Amino acid sequence: MTNATEESAIKQEPRGRSRLSRILDSDIMHSFLRSKITILSAVVTLLFLIGAALAPWIAPHNPFDLASISILDARLPPIGMEYSDPNYLLGTDDQGRDVFSGILYGARISIAVGFLSVFFAAIVGVLLGLIAGYVGGKVDAVIMRVAEVQLTFPAILIALLVDGVARAVFGNLDRERFAFWILVFSIALSFWVQFARTVRGSTLVERNKEYVQAARLIGIPPFLIMIRHVLPNVIGPVLVIATINLGLAIITEATLSFLGVGIPPTQPSLGTLVRIGNDFLFSGEWWIAMFPGCALAVLVLAVNLLGDWLRDALNPKLR
Amino acid sequence: MLAFTIRRLLQAILVMLVVALISFTLFRFVGDPVNQMVGVETTPEQREALRELLGLNDPILVQFGRFITKAAQFDFGTSYQFRQPVAELIGRRLPATLELSFVSAVFALLVGIPMGVYTGLHRDSVLSKLFLSISLIGISLPTFFIGILLIFVFAVTLQWLPSFGRGEVVQLGWWSTGLLTWSGIKALILPAITLGLFQMTLIMRLVRSEMLEVIRTDYIKFARARGLRQRSINFRHALKNTLVPVITITGLQLGSIIAFAIITETVFQWPGMGLLFLQSVQNVDIPIMAAYLMLIAFLFVTINLIVDLLYFRVDPRLRVERAAH
């Protein structure tokens, strides 16, 4: 009895340890640690995530608390310039809101829209791709034709159309209330195609393999085969596409907000902040637009670099 | 070749029909067209008469048929906000957008291809690494922010170039061009760079990776062994074979250039159809939205068709493969 427990303890001990060490010792981890740029972009992305998540606690001011902002503080330049106020690191906008705090709160919305829209796009795309690849025939033809038609239109155009329809359906006031979800929906709608095409491609390969045939033979229903057996084998590339699309989704959100059809100025995202600041570019208050714009650019650049690295690291041809 | 052309043509028509259906649905079911056209004081009888007159009481299929017939003649009715025919409004704005798109595509090709060839041939030079870093930043920066940066540097700080509008335009029949006046050309520079930058980096990366692959092939080695001059190998033999994907991508990108013009036109207040479309989205001007959607779809489908056929002509392997089947 004691022998048995000891044996199982011995067996379990390396297993428990190996999970961590397996991650630390994997090819991916090695290639991660080899590339300084990747580490840097991971750190930057992480900083943005933390800053966005903790914005209400770490932001020096609350730009949405009307009681705490004063019009007397409006248009103060960033510190280091003449007339600046040490309270406002990156200056203030036309209503006296702190630009730095605005960026933290704005990044929160930008990142949330980015993550949610990619998440929904991935779910819809992966499901449709699985079904198209596994079922084949007419279902496949219909799904892929729809995907092709949609692929001929750029994401931004589809999102604009969805927004126009939403305005007509909800009216302008209600639209502002739902702006966040309309935006998530329209970006997700324009991003699912790439997921579906990739997953369909790998499902076509997987479905003829022996383990799928075996599962079919013992009578597992097709839906369970797709989810439990095929899905884990086709999910790798999805991760890469998701990372690359995250950068794209954040850009799309910012662009729509900049065009004035995204997040309204009452709860600004990074794109909305640039839109607000754009009006003051000519009167010399460059910091109102430039700092949020730069924050956006750095965030997207870091996410894109991570995506590039992940694609190369998961591609066995390049190892 | 003929069978291929016909099949692609049928596909193109199918896509156009689908888009027409979406446009029609927008037009007919999103908001009430009658409500948009009349005032508050219109009586229900008058409304009903207008409905009858516009044919809104006919069967849906008949209405759809009429919509397509009219769309084929580019008749999309009257804009809700401007009270003018949509075709006229778009027609007046079309030259501005097409000129901007064309110039930025030319810019992207003329700068992107040489940069791609250079970075492909000199992989490890400092200049190549600089080009590649710039291209990565070019892809990560949102178009609108590039525009704002350019305005800030060249229009606000240096005051070299105008930041908005088209400058002076010359009327050539119904086409208005800014390419013939000095102020028109100056006004075009910043928007064209903004719009073309993304395409430029894309073309550069594409040419680079194709060059890297082609240069390793046997026929390039053979050309070198024959003692041909390096310049002739690079441009006559190598570059020529990289051009197939470049043609495809440029062709496909031409469509998205026209769509992305919406952003550039907003930043620079360029009086093109993208700006018109954005205004129509903000004011729920459905006829303009529907017309713009159809026009863009038509441009996309036509460009895709031409690219496919060009592909067929440029790459002999495709023809051989089809013949073998």
Side-chain angles (χ1 to χ4, degrees):
Chain A
M1 189 65 195
T2 39
N3 241 356
T5 40
E6 252 177 44
E7 247 181 48
S8 71
I10 288 166
K11 262 185 202 157
Q12 274 195 343
E13 203 263 332
R15 246 172 112 203
R17 190 185 58 88
S18 74
R19 187 170 287 168
L20 185 69
S21 69
R22 228 167 48 209
I23 292 172
L24 286 177
D25 203 37
S26 65
D27 291 346
I28 291 180
M29 199 65 202
H30 273 285
S31 95
F32 179 76
L33 292 175
R34 249 206 324 269
S35 157
K36 277 185 198 125
I37 290 181
T38 311
I39 296 177
L40 184 69
S41 30
V43 170
V44 170
T45 312
L46 214 63
L47 279 180
F48 264 101
L49 287 180
I50 294 170
L54 302 180
W57 294 279
I58 58 175
H61 304 270
N62 182 357
F64 307 115
D65 183 8
L66 292 175
S68 76
I69 58 176
S70 156
I71 200 81
L72 291 175
D73 291 335
R75 305 192 191 185
L76 288 173
I79 53 166
M81 285 174 67
E82 233 181 321
Y83 308 117
S84 66
D85 182 329
N87 277 328
Y88 302 105
L89 188 64
L90 300 180
T92 57
D93 70 0
D94 60 313
Q95 295 175 34
R97 293 182 292 202
D98 178 33
V99 171
F100 178 65
S101 308
I103 290 175
L104 285 179
Y105 277 91
R108 194 175 159 91
I109 291 174
S110 292
I111 290 172
V113 172
F115 264 108
L116 282 172
S117 50
V118 169
F119 178 71
F120 287 128
I123 288 186
V124 173
V126 167
L127 272 182
L128 287 178
L130 267 179
I131 293 169
Y134 191 80
V135 179
K138 275 191 186 139
V139 180
D140 179 31
V142 169
I143 294 178
M144 284 301 117
R145 251 325 88 71
V146 173
E148 260 169 41
V149 171
Q150 207 192 309
L151 213 58
T152 46
F153 293 98
I156 204 100
L157 201 61
I158 294 171
L160 275 173
L161 276 174
V162 170
D163 189 84
V165 173
R167 269 168 207 267
V169 174
F170 293 128
N172 264 338
L173 261 178
D174 271 343
R175 194 203 70 91
E176 286 214 346
R177 215 178 321 145
F178 299 126
F180 182 87
W181 291 107
I182 293 171
L183 210 53
V184 168
F185 172 77
S186 54
I187 297 175
L189 187 71
S190 40
F191 278 28
W192 67 274
V193 175
Q194 212 185 350
F195 290 97
R197 280 165 76 107
T198 313
V199 169
R200 173 181 173 267
S202 15
T203 307
L204 283 177
V205 177
E206 292 296 321
R207 81 161 179 197
N208 293 326
K209 288 196 176 160
E210 278 159 357
Y211 72 91
V212 176
Q213 286 174 355
R216 214 180 289 165
L217 205 62
I218 56 174
I220 299 177
F223 186 71
L224 277 186
I225 299 183
M226 281 185 232
I227 298 292
R228 282 228 197 113
H229 301 269
V230 180
L231 184 60
N233 288 302
V234 299
I235 205 79
V238 172
L239 210 65
V240 178
I241 299 177
T243 321
I244 291 170
N245 275 348
L246 180 63
L248 275 177
I250 293 175
I251 285 190
T252 310
E253 182 278 323
T255 306
L256 288 172
S257 296
F258 174 77
L259 293 178
V261 293
I263 302 283
T266 42
Q267 202 77 328
S269 75
L270 289 177
T272 323
L273 289 174
V274 179
R275 177 187 172 80
I276 296 170
N278 194 23
D279 296 339
F280 302 98
L281 212 55
F282 293 95
S283 49
E285 284 101 12
W286 52 270
W287 56 90
I288 307 176
M290 284 303 155
F291 286 128
C294 289
L296 179 72
V298 170
L299 170 65
V300 173
L301 185 64
V303 173
N304 279 352
L305 284 169
L306 273 184
D308 270 2
W309 162 78
L310 199 63
R311 186 187 51 205
D312 292 349
L314 290 181
N315 186 352
K317 271 193 208 156
L318 290 176
R319 264 186 213 152
Chain B
M1 179 74 190
L2 189 67
F4 177 74
T5 314
I6 290 174
R7 202 167 57 231
R8 295 295 296 135
L9 208 61
L10 283 179
Q11 270 179 17
I13 292 173
L14 186 75
V15 171
M16 280 313 290
L17 277 179
V18 172
V19 175
L21 187 64
I22 298 172
S23 284
F24 173 70
T25 318
L26 268 179
F27 186 66
R28 182 64 189 77
F29 298 106
V30 177
D32 183 8
V34 171
N35 260 350
Q36 298 280 355
M37 288 179 198
V38 297
V40 198
E41 69 279 5
T42 319
T43 59
E45 290 77 41
Q46 283 172 318
R47 281 169 196 258
E48 196 45 47
L50 188 59
R51 276 189 163 271
E52 198 58 50
L53 189 72
L54 291 171
L56 293 175
N57 292 332
D58 295 346
I60 288 295
L61 259 173
V62 175
Q63 290 190 36
F64 184 48
R66 199 160 43 216
F67 179 82
I68 291 182
T69 326
K70 280 192 170 175
Q73 302 156 14
F74 213 75
D75 176 5
F76 287 94
T78 316
S79 150
Y80 294 159
Q81 48 175 341
F82 299 109
R83 312 272 160 192
Q84 283 173 20
V86 172
E88 239 173 65
L89 282 169
I90 291 189
R92 215 177 303 143
R93 302 265 193 138
L94 190 68
T97 299
L98 287 186
E99 237 168 43
L100 174 64
S101 307
F102 178 73
V103 171
S104 63
V106 169
F107 158 77
L109 282 173
L110 285 186
V111 182
I113 292 181
M115 273 169 89
V117 171
Y118 180 83
T119 47
L121 293 176
H122 311 273
R123 271 188 87 167
D124 299 313
S125 82
V126 182
L127 203 56
S128 295
K129 293 211 167 114
L130 185 75
F131 283 165
L132 281 178
S133 321
I134 292 175
S135 86
L136 191 67
I137 294 170
I139 282 180
S140 296
L141 279 182
T143 312
F144 70 88
F145 192 55
I146 293 176
I148 291 179
L149 278 177
L150 287 177
I151 288 182
F152 181 62
V153 174
F154 292 103
V156 178
T157 313
L158 298 172
Q159 301 200 328
W160 287 352
L161 296 165
S163 66
F164 66 92
R166 270 186 97 183
E168 259 175 77
V169 289
V170 177
Q171 206 72 30
L172 299 173
W174 63 278
W175 185 278
S176 64
T177 179
L179 292 173
L180 294 176
T181 62
W182 183 231
S183 79
I185 292 175
K186 264 167 80 177
L188 189 58
I189 295 175
L190 289 185
I193 292 177
T194 309
L195 188 54
L197 205 62
F198 182 79
Q199 267 67 33
M200 185 202 91
T201 53
L202 203 70
I203 289 170
M204 181 196 121
R205 288 177 150 219
L206 195 70
V207 171
R208 174 178 174 271
S209 65
E210 290 289 324
M211 277 304 258
L212 285 176
E213 239 164 65
V214 167
I215 270 176
R216 272 186 246 147
T217 53
D218 287 340
Y219 74 89
I220 294 292
K221 282 183 200 150
F222 178 60
R224 221 170 263 153
R226 271 159 69 202
L228 297 181
R229 273 184 306 157
Q230 193 62 37
R231 174 188 288 272
S232 139
I233 295 175
N234 289 348
F235 287 92
R236 287 253 182 87
H237 297 243
L239 182 63
K240 212 172 155 191
N241 278 288
T242 65
L243 285 185
V244 176
V246 172
I247 290 175
T248 325
I249 297 287
T250 318
L252 295 178
Q253 289 296 318
L254 216 59
S256 50
I257 281 188
I258 292 172
F260 271 95
I262 300 171
I263 305 164
T264 313
E265 286 176 10
T266 310
V267 175
F268 291 95
Q269 289 299 303
W270 187 263
M273 25 174 220
L275 202 58
L276 182 72
F277 174 66
L278 190 69
Q279 284 167 356
S280 75
V281 167
Q282 281 163 342
N283 298 320
V284 204
D285 195 344
I286 304 274
I288 293 186
M289 280 166 72
Y292 184 80
L293 183 67
M294 290 289 283
L295 184 65
I296 290 285
F298 180 71
L299 283 174
F300 268 96
V301 167
T302 317
I303 290 169
N304 277 3
L305 196 66
I306 294 173
V307 166
D308 271 355
L309 297 181
L310 262 185
Y311 214 68
F312 212 71
R313 284 234 53 87
V314 175
D315 194 342
R317 281 169 299 184
L318 275 177
R319 267 173 281 163
V320 174
E321 247 169 56
R322 302 229 173 230
H325 278 301

